[in-house]
Amino acid sequence: MDKSKNKKKSISQKENLCEKNNFAVKIFVKIILRIVTIFCIAFALFLGGKYGMKKFVRYQVEKKHALVEKEISASAELVLYKMRYSDIVAIKKRRAVSSAYSFVRFSGIIRAGIEDITQCQTSISEDGKSIRVKIPSAILLGNDIQSEEVFDEKQGIFAKITTQEIFDEIAAAKEEIAREIIAEGLLCDADAHAALVIRQMLSPFGFKEIVIER
């Protein structure tokens, strides 16, 4: 009788132990599944956040690029240097026994810069922190006469100086002045000033690096 009771008790203990083991395994599996689920969700959120951030940065870069293009295109012609000058031309003419002369004082202004700044090529880095700008070389934009005055003249009977002759002399003189000023480095100075102007134009956009090329 006692042996039968002991045997039943032993079986009951084994069954309890098995149930406990099964319960522990189930708990362990649930914990592992929960950890895996949390990890998967976190990883998915990380990937989604990373993609979203990348898309946001790209949007910001494209928006900044559009603003840069708008800022640059706002100034179709970029005048970098204006230089005033004045000179005197002497026109003389002699025909037979008659002679004539005319002394004309004139002043003008030379403009140097970039004819069409929209030709600038811009490239912004993927993170939007730096920009590279390729700009055209500076050229002579204009050489205009501002004033002219005949302050001494003499007209002969057979030799007369016409208004057209005065205009032609002034035109030749102003072209010579332009060549001299360019030879002294006007366009080189304008190129250097262009880089400074472009940097000042783009600095409000928050670029950490602005590279100017030609």
Side-chain angles (χ1 to χ4, degrees):
M1 192 72 178
D2 292 336
K3 288 181 179 181
S4 178
K5 287 182 178 180
N6 289 335
K7 189 175 180 179
K8 288 181 179 180
K9 186 177 180 180
S10 177
I11 292 171
S12 178
Q13 288 177 346
K14 287 181 180 181
E15 289 176 350
N16 290 335
L17 183 60
C18 288
E19 288 178 0
K20 288 180 179 180
N21 290 336
N22 290 335
F23 180 75
V25 169
K26 288 179 180 179
I27 294 296
F28 178 75
V29 171
K30 285 183 178 180
I31 292 172
I32 294 298
L33 289 175
R34 185 165 294 181
I35 292 173
V36 171
T37 302
I38 292 172
F39 175 79
C40 290
I41 293 172
F43 186 68
L45 290 174
F46 170 76
L47 289 178
K50 188 175 181 181
Y51 174 77
M53 181 59 68
K54 190 174 181 180
K55 190 174 181 181
F56 175 75
V57 171
R58 186 166 63 248
Y59 168 76
Q60 291 296 322
V61 170
E62 290 175 357
K63 183 179 179 181
K64 186 177 287 189
H65 192 274
L67 291 173
V68 167
E69 292 291 330
K70 183 179 179 181
E71 180 69 19
I72 289 176
S73 62
S75 304
E77 183 181 89
L78 181 61
V79 178
L80 300 166
Y81 266 106
K82 285 185 178 180
M83 182 174 291
R84 297 183 182 276
Y85 62 85
S86 61
D87 200 1
I88 296 174
V89 294
I91 305 107
K92 297 180 181 180
K93 182 185 286 188
R94 186 175 185 83
R95 183 172 294 173
V97 295
S98 182
S99 64
Y101 65 82
S102 182
F103 291 93
V104 182
R105 181 187 295 112
F106 68 95
S107 63
I109 183 168
I110 283 180
R111 295 178 293 111
I114 298 174
E115 185 176 22
D116 186 4
I117 198 173
T118 59
Q119 293 180 356
C120 291
Q121 299 175 6
T122 59
S123 175
I124 301 177
S125 62
E126 291 184 359
D127 58 6
K129 294 180 180 179
S130 64
I131 184 171
R132 191 176 297 272
V133 185
K134 189 173 183 180
I135 61 176
S137 297
I139 62 171
L140 194 67
L141 296 175
N143 182 10
D144 305 314
I145 297 301
Q146 301 293 303
S147 65
E148 56 186 58
E149 175 192 5
V150 177
F151 65 90
D152 190 11
E153 68 175 347
K154 174 188 174 183
Q155 299 286 5
I157 297 175
F158 302 106
K160 293 185 180 294
I161 297 173
T162 66
T163 302
Q164 186 60 49
E165 288 174 327
I166 293 175
F167 286 161
D168 292 343
E169 285 294 326
I170 291 175
K174 78 171 188 176
E175 293 300 323
E176 179 61 27
I177 290 171
R179 284 192 291 270
E180 291 175 358
I181 292 176
I182 290 173
E184 291 172 359
L186 172 68
L187 297 184
C188 292
D189 292 341
D191 282 334
H193 192 56
L196 178 62
V197 170
I198 294 295
R199 283 194 175 90
Q200 290 176 342
M201 185 184 298
L202 299 179
S203 59
F205 292 96
F207 293 112
K208 291 185 177 180
E209 183 182 25
I210 301 174
V211 180
I212 307 297
E213 297 178 342
R214 285 187 179 79

